[in-house]
């Protein structure tokens, strides 16, 4: 009995191109997009060898569009990330100061300065909460040392 099966490469299926477009759209970082780009380069080479370079044109366009989006998003988020880092640095610096403070009265004196500086980070509630917890913990530590 003669077989009449025909091999159809996944590369010839429209779903393959659609899957690639979906993968590009799911990239949320430049490193993910670059990694996917390396995979697509091998695919692009296959299409070029089989004289079908137009088949991957949607990938090229989507990749360029996503790269531009991620670049713009990174620029937009740069000041936000810098502010978040400043908040972390502020907390870390006060953490060192508070643990060096050995007197209850000095700790009370630092509260005003901490509250004043914390106004710069009111939009970072997790930092403010950590600072409050740290200050209260230190307060309890020194209160216990007095008793």
């Amino acid at each position: 009995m003669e077989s009449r099966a025909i091999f159809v490469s996944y590369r010839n299926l429209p779903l393959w191109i659609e899957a690639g477009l979906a993968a590009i759209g799911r990239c949320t970082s430049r490193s993910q997009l670059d990694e996917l780009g390396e995979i697509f380069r091998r695919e692009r080479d296959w299409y070029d060898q089989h004289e079908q370079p137009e088949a991957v044109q949607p990938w090229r366009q989507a990749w360029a569009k996503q790269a531009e989006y991620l670049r713009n998003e990174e620029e937009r988020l740069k000041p936000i990330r810098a502010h978040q880092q400043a908040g972390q640095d502020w907390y870390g610096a006060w953490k060192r100061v508070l643990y060096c403070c050995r007197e209850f009265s000095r700790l009370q004196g630092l509260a005003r300065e901490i509250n004043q500086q914390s106004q710069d980070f009111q939009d970072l509630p997790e930092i403010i909460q950590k600072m409050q917890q740290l200050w209260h913990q230190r307060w309890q530590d020194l209160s216990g040392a007095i008793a």
Side-chain angles (χ1 to χ4, degrees):
M1 179 173 260
E2 187 176 313
S3 174
R4 297 209 179 243
I6 298 174
F7 173 76
V8 177
S9 171
Y10 64 89
R11 291 180 170 118
N12 291 324
L13 299 174
L15 287 173
W16 179 240
I17 298 299
E18 291 172 22
L21 293 172
I24 291 169
R26 285 191 301 270
C27 289
T28 58
S29 71
R30 185 57 194 244
S31 62
Q32 286 178 330
L33 189 63
D34 288 343
E35 189 175 319
L36 190 58
E38 287 301 316
I39 295 167
F40 284 162
R41 270 192 254 300
R42 288 189 291 272
E43 290 299 305
R44 181 200 62 208
D45 292 346
W46 184 91
Y47 282 99
D48 287 345
Q49 289 173 358
H50 290 83
E51 298 179 11
Q52 298 176 1
E54 70 285 344
V56 291
Q57 191 59 32
W59 284 352
R60 287 184 178 106
Q61 292 168 342
W63 194 92
K65 184 178 176 182
Q66 189 69 2
E68 179 68 20
Y69 169 77
L70 291 172
R71 192 171 22 262
N72 291 339
E73 193 66 8
E74 185 176 309
E75 283 301 311
R76 185 184 72 77
L77 293 175
K78 199 178 282 186
I80 295 168
R81 289 193 178 121
H83 179 63
Q84 290 170 333
Q85 185 60 51
Q88 289 288 345
D89 294 346
W90 173 76
Y91 170 78
W94 273 110
K95 184 176 182 179
R96 289 187 296 278
V97 168
L98 292 179
Y99 279 115
C100 290
C101 184
R102 303 278 181 224
E103 296 177 22
F104 193 69
S105 61
R106 292 187 190 259
L107 183 64
Q108 286 177 306
L110 293 174
R112 182 176 171 182
E113 184 64 26
I114 291 170
N115 285 334
Q116 185 178 8
Q117 289 181 12
S118 71
Q119 297 305 308
D120 293 340
F121 303 107
Q122 287 301 314
D123 60 329
L124 301 174
E126 66 282 354
I127 296 293
I128 299 301
Q129 183 180 12
K130 283 173 55 177
M131 178 56 81
Q132 289 170 346
Q133 290 171 344
L134 175 66
W135 194 87
H136 287 293
Q137 181 61 49
R138 194 65 186 137
W139 177 277
Q140 289 176 343
D141 292 346
L142 292 178
S143 295
I146 292 173

